[in-house]
PDB file of all heavy atoms in Angstrom:
ATOM      1  N   CYS A   4      -0.126   8.875  -1.147  1.00  0.00           N
ATOM      2  CA  CYS A   4       0.361  10.125  -1.702  1.00  0.00           C
ATOM      3  C   CYS A   4       0.732  11.028  -0.572  1.00  0.00           C
ATOM      4  O   CYS A   4      -0.033  11.274   0.301  1.00  0.00           O
ATOM      5  CB  CYS A   4      -0.609  10.739  -2.626  1.00  0.00           C
ATOM      6  SG  CYS A   4      -0.136  12.373  -3.186  1.00  0.00           S
ATOM      7  N   VAL A   6       1.044  14.185  -0.556  1.00  0.00           N
ATOM      8  CA  VAL A   6       0.419  15.543  -0.714  1.00  0.00           C
ATOM      9  C   VAL A   6      -1.042  15.418  -0.493  1.00  0.00           C
ATOM     10  O   VAL A   6      -1.525  16.066   0.574  1.00  0.00           O
ATOM     11  CB  VAL A   6       0.700  16.131  -2.059  1.00  0.00           C
ATOM     12  CG1 VAL A   6       0.060  17.466  -2.175  1.00  0.00           C
ATOM     13  CG2 VAL A   6       2.181  16.270  -2.256  1.00  0.00           C
ATOM     14  N   CYS A   7      -1.746  14.591  -1.195  1.00  0.00           N
ATOM     15  CA  CYS A   7      -3.234  14.631  -1.094  1.00  0.00           C
ATOM     16  C   CYS A   7      -3.750  13.525  -0.274  1.00  0.00           C
ATOM     17  O   CYS A   7      -4.886  13.500   0.069  1.00  0.00           O
ATOM     18  CB  CYS A   7      -3.865  14.664  -2.478  1.00  0.00           C
ATOM     19  SG  CYS A   7      -3.596  13.153  -3.390  1.00  0.00           S
ATOM     20  N   THR A   9      -4.115  10.357  -1.037  1.00  0.00           N
ATOM     21  CA  THR A   9      -4.563   9.219  -1.743  1.00  0.00           C
ATOM     22  C   THR A   9      -3.893   7.935  -1.530  1.00  0.00           C
ATOM     23  O   THR A   9      -2.653   7.938  -1.604  1.00  0.00           O
ATOM     24  CB  THR A   9      -4.561   9.525  -3.261  1.00  0.00           C
ATOM     25  OG1 THR A   9      -5.455  10.677  -3.609  1.00  0.00           O
ATOM     26  CG2 THR A   9      -5.182   8.332  -4.064  1.00  0.00           C
ATOM     27  N   CYS A  31       1.204  11.044  -6.119  1.00  0.00           N
ATOM     28  CA  CYS A  31       0.286  10.480  -7.157  1.00  0.00           C
ATOM     29  C   CYS A  31       0.531  11.234  -8.451  1.00  0.00           C
ATOM     30  O   CYS A  31       1.201  12.292  -8.495  1.00  0.00           O
ATOM     31  CB  CYS A  31      -1.167  10.451  -6.670  1.00  0.00           C
ATOM     32  SG  CYS A  31      -1.847  12.118  -6.514  1.00  0.00           S
ATOM     33  N   CYS A  34      -0.597  14.903  -8.254  1.00  0.00           N
ATOM     34  CA  CYS A  34       0.286  15.773  -7.470  1.00  0.00           C
ATOM     35  C   CYS A  34       1.695  15.842  -8.154  1.00  0.00           C
ATOM     36  O   CYS A  34       2.319  16.836  -7.948  1.00  0.00           O
ATOM     37  CB  CYS A  34       0.453  15.225  -6.015  1.00  0.00           C
ATOM     38  SG  CYS A  34      -1.168  15.332  -5.099  1.00  0.00           S
TER      39      CYS A  34
HETATM   40 ZN1   ZN B 101      -1.670  13.184  -4.594  1.00  0.00          ZN
END
Side-chain angles (χ1 to χ4, degrees):
C4 173
V6 176
C7 67
T9 296
C31 68
C34 293

